[in-house]
Amino acid sequence: MNSVPLNDLSRLCIHTITTKPWSIEIAAKNYSSQGVSGITVWRDALSGRSIKQTGNMLRQHNLRVVSLCRGGFFPGKEPIKRQAAIDDNRRAIEEAFELGTRMIVLVCGADPAQSLEESRKQIHDGIAAILPDAENAGIKLAIEPLHPMYADTRSAINTLAQANDLAETLNSPWVGVAVDVYHLWWDPHLEDEIQRCGKNHNLLAFHVCDWKSPTVDLLYDRGLMGEGCIPIRKIRSWVEAAGFTGFIEAEIFSNEYWKQDQSDFLRNIITSYKKYV
Ligand code: ZN
């Protein structure tokens, strides 16, 4: 199935970290004035602010607060570290509630001092521990699989199949998955796994950017949509065939783009979104 190109911005959401040099107030004003419809808030953008007032400010700019990024980082060889992660995730749920969003993205974590299997078990247990809090607050938890290059410290969940397995094992309407093209584009089972989470009503979020060749930094060298090798439009057609109608979230961490004038960068994001997503 071929997707029709998007010619409006009604489904475009931008992550605050994408325009990291801007405060959340400046980002909100500029996203809104360019017609962007949604914002995903990284927790550091809330630092030193009233979260409730910040949520109201975003809504005054007609921005939907799509999600809070991020919870997770559950594994730890030491029990004290795992408990600290659970406590921090409970705080993230409170923050999401205050902010007025209905979703937290989970970057699940990994500890190189132990096996990936052990980390995965601890991720399961960590999510299970915070599930009652998420349910009480009405917040969905989106498990985001990360590219295997991050399997040492950032996530032991590296494929959509693993994220789907975990979501299905937890079997709660409050847990689903986030599909980020940067992490998953290489996976030969991606289309099937997208269908699978769609069928189970577990497909909660869709993140876009591009994979540059060469990539010069494992974390901070993501590309603008269209400048790399990810078949973004094809993957978008898969998520839509699976029933996803939510926001398409531009999440671009880039040392290079953070050095640019952020207003120019924002205009480039919008142009690439219209052209390549
Ligand atoms: Zn993402």
Side-chain angles (χ1 to χ4, degrees):
M1 169 183 152
N2 285 323
S3 295
V4 176
L6 297 176
N7 52 14
D8 68 69
L9 304 180
S10 63
R11 289 176 60 198
L12 174 60
C13 163
I14 299 181
H15 284 224
T16 55
I17 196 165
T18 296
T19 53
K20 193 168 89 163
W22 279 343
S23 67
I24 192 168
E25 291 80 10
I26 302 286
K29 185 166 162 280
N30 291 330
Y31 294 178
S32 172
S33 72
Q34 294 297 314
V36 175
S37 305
I39 186 166
T40 276
V41 176
W42 279 59
R43 289 174 77 190
D44 61 342
L46 296 170
S47 155
R49 292 163 171 81
S50 153
I51 295 176
K52 200 168 191 148
Q53 280 172 16
T54 305
N56 289 338
M57 179 276 292
L58 297 174
R59 281 179 286 277
Q60 278 157 16
H61 283 292
N62 293 318
L63 292 165
R64 237 317 254 292
V65 188
V66 177
S67 64
L68 181 69
C69 256
R70 58 202 185 189
F73 290 96
F74 296 106
K77 203 167 161 56
E78 305 302 326
I80 193 166
K81 194 178 157 206
R82 299 199 292 278
Q83 187 55 50
I86 288 171
D87 295 343
D88 184 59
N89 277 276
R90 290 194 169 122
R91 278 194 295 278
I93 290 169
E94 285 166 19
E95 289 170 23
F97 183 80
E98 287 275 291
L99 188 64
T101 183
R102 309 298 303 270
M103 179 163 59
I104 293 177
V105 176
L106 298 181
V107 170
C108 291
D111 186 339
Q114 65 188 14
S115 70
L116 288 170
E117 290 79 7
E118 188 60 26
S119 286
R120 285 184 201 119
K121 190 179 164 297
Q122 292 171 359
I123 291 166
H124 170 277
D125 294 350
I127 298 175
I130 63 165
L131 248 181
D133 305 78
E135 186 172 352
N136 279 339
I139 306 288
K140 292 199 179 198
L141 305 173
I143 300 165
E144 178 168 345
L146 260 55
H147 191 284
M149 68 179 169
Y150 304 118
D152 57 343
T153 55
R154 289 179 183 268
S155 185
I157 304 296
N158 307 107
T159 63
L160 188 52
Q162 288 170 334
N164 279 337
D165 287 345
L166 182 54
E168 288 168 25
T169 304
L170 287 158
N171 192 25
S172 158
W174 300 97
V175 176
V177 301
V179 168
D180 184 324
V181 299
Y182 191 75
H183 298 299
L184 301 175
W185 68 277
W186 55 273
D187 183 349
H189 303 294
L190 187 56
E191 184 177 9
D192 290 345
E193 291 296 330
I194 287 173
Q195 274 175 17
R196 174 179 164 196
C197 57
K199 206 178 293 168
N200 292 319
H201 308 288
N202 280 341
L203 180 45
L204 301 182
F206 182 48
H207 298 174
V208 296
C209 66
D210 215 333
W211 184 283
K212 287 161 83 173
S213 299
T215 289
V216 300
D217 187 289
L218 294 187
L219 267 184
Y220 302 124
D221 191 33
R222 294 188 178 202
L224 266 173
M225 296 78 80
E227 70 171 336
C229 56
I230 301 180
I232 301 173
R233 193 162 281 170
K234 189 199 259 179
I235 299 173
R236 178 186 151 216
S237 77
W238 295 342
V239 302
E240 291 181 356
F244 182 78
T245 56
F247 279 89
I248 298 173
E249 307 182 38
E251 182 189 34
I252 306 166
F253 321 142
S254 164
N255 284 328
E256 187 188 329
Y257 291 131
W258 289 332
K259 280 185 220 146
Q260 286 186 1
D261 178 286
Q262 296 296 287
S263 295
D264 291 344
F265 180 40
L266 177 59
R267 276 188 289 273
N268 290 338
I269 292 169
I270 290 170
T271 304
S272 331
Y273 174 78
K274 287 180 173 171
K275 213 163 162 187
Y276 298 108
V277 176

